[in-house]
Every structure is written in structure tokens, then in C-alpha cells.
Amino acid sequence: MALRTTHNLQRGIHRLLMAPQDVPVKDPVPWREPMLTLAAASVGHRALFKEYEEFLEAAMLIAVDLWEGRILAHEERGLDPDSALKAAYGTFFAGPAACPQLVWVLRTYWLKCVALNQTVPPDERVPPQVLLFGWVMQAGRDDWVQVLTAMTYWPMGIDADGHWV
């Protein structure tokens, strides 16, 4: 069964790739066109992505299961499929991307990417949104892209000194 969501996939893709450029962080990693590929990345970034994929896969299974369970619970209460989907969004506004385990993986690997970027020359740095999302798209993981694009924003903030937290 296909994952049931209602968000605009293309808007979600654009938002996740471009929105971090609007945040005033200290030492931002500039966006590059075209997007850096995994194959062109440093050994450290490729290893970090491999590790991230393993954690992301486990979190995705949980996220999809929780989301579908929430929708089914509404259907079992007598709602039709469309109303059940709408009701599920009423409590999980980011759909399957609201899963706490998924949010943990995204925050953890965003910060690991930032830390790794501080250890490599500027021309080898990778924007975190590219590692966490762009390379997922490049890998053809459309199921993961559908879940991730349900997020309205990256679950990150900046501290008083302009660093990602």
C-alpha cells in the first residue's frame, strides 16, 4: 500500500533544500548548483551518509508504521479514508515526519555533518540538507523523500552565537 499523505512533494523538496540558506548561521556551507553528488563528496562525508542511511532506514520503518497506525485508528472509529487522513494530520501536523525517532536521526546527523564540515577544507564541505536529503533523492529513495518532504521545516535551531543546535 502506498503511503498516504497530502503535502505537495515538489514544494517540500524545494523547501528542504533551500530553506537552510535563509538561516543566519555562522560559517554557512554555501549552496552549490548543481547539487554535490555523493560520489564527488569526501571520504568522510560518504562514510557519514552510509551510517545515516542505516539509522534513517530504521527510523523510516517506525515513522511509516506509526503514521499508518494513526490513520487506521481513525478509520476503525468509523471515518472514511479521506477524513481519517485529515484527522491524523490534526494531531501530527508533519504527517509521518513527526515521528520522534525520525526527528532524532535528522538532528543527530545534521549536527554530525556540521562537525565533519569543520574538519575538512571549505571546498569539501557539504550542506547538511544535501547529506540528509539531497543524497536520499539521488539514491532514488522516493519512499523516504515522501516522508521527509512532509516536514514543514528542519528540526534545527541556532544558538546565540549563530551555530546550529
Side-chain angles (χ1 to χ4, degrees):
M1 171 180 4
L3 183 64
R4 296 182 277 179
T5 59
T6 61
H7 66 279
N8 182 298
L9 191 66
Q10 291 305 313
R11 282 200 336 223
I13 290 169
H14 184 267
R15 178 180 57 252
L16 292 178
L17 289 174
M18 302 312 290
Q21 299 306 306
D22 296 333
V23 180
V25 294
K26 186 174 183 172
D27 300 324
V29 178
W31 176 258
R32 301 180 209 170
E33 284 290 347
M35 183 185 350
L36 180 69
T37 64
L38 177 60
S42 73
V43 171
H45 285 95
R46 290 193 309 265
L48 183 61
F49 181 72
K50 182 175 173 43
E51 181 183 308
Y52 166 66
E53 275 186 306
E54 293 172 14
F55 279 90
L56 186 60
E57 183 170 25
M60 284 291 177
L61 293 172
I62 296 167
V64 169
D65 190 47
L66 286 173
W67 180 242
E68 287 300 326
R70 181 164 294 276
I71 295 168
L72 287 172
H74 288 296
E75 289 175 339
E76 289 171 358
R77 290 188 196 109
L79 294 179
D80 64 83
D82 288 339
S83 297
L85 181 59
K86 184 177 179 180
Y89 274 106
T91 53
F92 274 26
F93 75 94
C99 173
Q101 290 87 342
L102 179 60
V103 171
W104 179 87
V105 169
L106 295 172
R107 286 186 50 76
T108 297
Y109 282 89
W110 185 287
L111 294 173
K112 284 185 175 201
C113 182
V114 169
L116 177 58
N117 282 338
Q118 296 306 309
T119 69
V120 299
D123 63 327
E124 291 184 21
R125 294 178 182 167
V126 175
Q129 71 270 26
V130 170
L131 190 143
L132 271 64
F133 182 66
W135 293 346
V136 168
M137 287 189 341
Q138 290 175 5
R141 293 305 309 252
D142 295 341
D143 51 341
W144 292 1
V145 169
Q146 185 178 4
V147 171
L148 292 171
T149 54
M151 287 190 306
T152 55
Y153 54 87
W154 286 106
M156 301 302 300
I158 55 171
D159 65 15
D161 295 323
H163 298 104
W164 289 112
V165 291

